[in-house]
Amino acid sequence: MPEEKVSRKDLREQRKRFEFDPSKPKDISPGEMYRQIKVPRVEFESEEKAIEKQKLPAFVSFCKGIHKAFPSFGKNASFTPKYREAIEFLNWNLSAEEFASASKFVLYASAVIGFITAIALILSPIGEAVADYTKLAELSALFIFAPIIVAVLIVVNYFQNYPINAARIEQYKSLTYVPEIVGYLIMSMKLVPNLEKAVEFAAEHGRGKIAVELQEIIWKVQIGLYSSLAEGLDDL
């Protein structure tokens, strides 16, 4: 059956029938205003669309790779409450054993690299210059080893505190998006006083982790993990 061709003029006329003119509020009914707030469900439009696997953060991928290579490094490890809260807030699929394995690997690798670097500097002209300046070989070695030891400690400390710092940064970013989310909620509630529709509208158009968590709440309500949207919002 041949496809019916639609001209640009017909498309413009069809679009005008659905456009809302603020200067003429009587031209649109409450039902039409309600239908204008739409959250597209693209993932359900085509059954042939493949389910995309969520990409892991680089930090999590690194920890998993190290734990796979050296599983004994993280044996019997456990998270402290502070680390557990940070990992849960970030929604990272990261176990305590994986994080411990990566932390020990970074410690050992940094120490080995730092030791090799220090020996190379001592045997280089830089080491001779430091020895001539200090007049003592032992003191020159201290001048070379001390900065490298400090650098190793900084690297290890940065890696071990990365989840906590990442969670703190994400919290600050979430706070900046809260007014935007509230604005979307108010915008939707003014048109139609429906909490479910307002949360769905804010989750679709909002940004940051707060929008992602609203989407998760909607999904959990749909599959029955929450009896109502209000229950999910209380948990949030």
Side-chain angles (χ1 to χ4, degrees):
M1 182 177 179
E3 296 183 357
E4 183 179 356
K5 295 184 178 180
V6 182
S7 64
R8 293 185 178 181
K9 183 178 180 181
D10 295 336
L11 289 175
R12 286 196 297 267
E13 291 178 355
Q14 292 178 8
R15 192 180 298 125
K16 287 181 179 179
R17 291 202 300 267
F18 293 98
E19 288 180 349
F20 173 63
D21 187 358
S23 63
K24 298 178 181 179
K26 294 183 179 180
D27 292 345
I28 186 169
S29 65
E32 291 174 340
M33 294 172 67
Y34 181 85
R35 286 193 293 271
Q36 284 184 357
I37 305 177
K38 295 181 179 180
V39 179
R41 299 297 183 188
V42 181
E43 62 270 22
F44 298 115
E45 289 180 358
S46 176
E47 296 180 357
E48 298 178 357
K49 184 176 180 180
I51 298 176
E52 297 181 358
K53 186 178 180 180
Q54 186 178 7
K55 186 177 180 181
L56 293 175
F59 183 87
V60 177
S61 300
F62 175 78
C63 293
K64 289 183 176 295
I66 296 300
H67 179 67
K68 186 176 181 180
F70 307 99
S72 61
F73 284 0
K75 190 176 181 181
N76 299 325
S78 61
F79 282 133
T80 61
K82 182 168 63 174
Y83 278 93
R84 185 179 297 107
E85 290 177 1
I87 297 298
E88 291 177 355
F89 178 79
L90 294 168
N91 288 332
W92 283 356
N93 182 20
L94 181 66
S95 66
E97 291 81 4
E98 293 169 343
F99 178 68
S101 296
S103 297
K104 289 184 179 180
F105 174 82
V106 170
L107 174 61
Y108 298 154
S110 300
V112 171
I113 294 174
F115 181 78
I116 294 174
T117 303
I119 296 299
L121 290 175
I122 291 174
L123 300 177
S124 68
I126 296 177
E128 296 178 1
V130 174
D132 293 339
Y133 176 77
T134 58
K135 306 301 182 182
L136 290 173
E138 295 80 1
L139 192 58
S140 64
L142 178 61
F143 269 85
I144 293 176
F145 269 101
I148 293 179
I149 292 174
V150 172
V152 169
L153 294 177
I154 291 175
V155 170
V156 174
N157 182 72
Y158 174 81
F159 185 88
Q160 292 181 345
N161 291 321
Y162 184 84
I164 297 175
N165 294 332
R168 186 180 296 111
I169 293 173
E170 193 64 35
Q171 287 172 351
Y172 293 153
K173 291 170 61 177
S174 298
L175 289 176
T176 61
Y177 292 131
V178 166
E180 181 183 77
I181 293 292
V182 173
Y184 284 126
L185 290 171
I186 294 174
M187 186 188 309
S188 179
M189 293 289 286
K190 280 187 175 181
L191 291 177
V192 179
N194 184 285
L195 180 62
E196 288 76 10
K197 198 71 177 180
V199 172
E200 192 173 8
F201 181 75
E204 178 65 23
H205 295 83
R207 295 177 295 171
K209 183 172 175 57
I210 182 70
V212 175
E213 291 186 346
L214 289 178
Q215 293 174 0
E216 291 179 354
I217 289 176
I218 296 172
W219 176 73
K220 289 180 180 179
V221 171
Q222 292 174 347
I223 65 174
L225 293 179
Y226 289 135
S227 59
S228 65
L229 189 64
E231 181 183 351
L233 292 176
D234 287 341
D235 288 345
L236 176 61

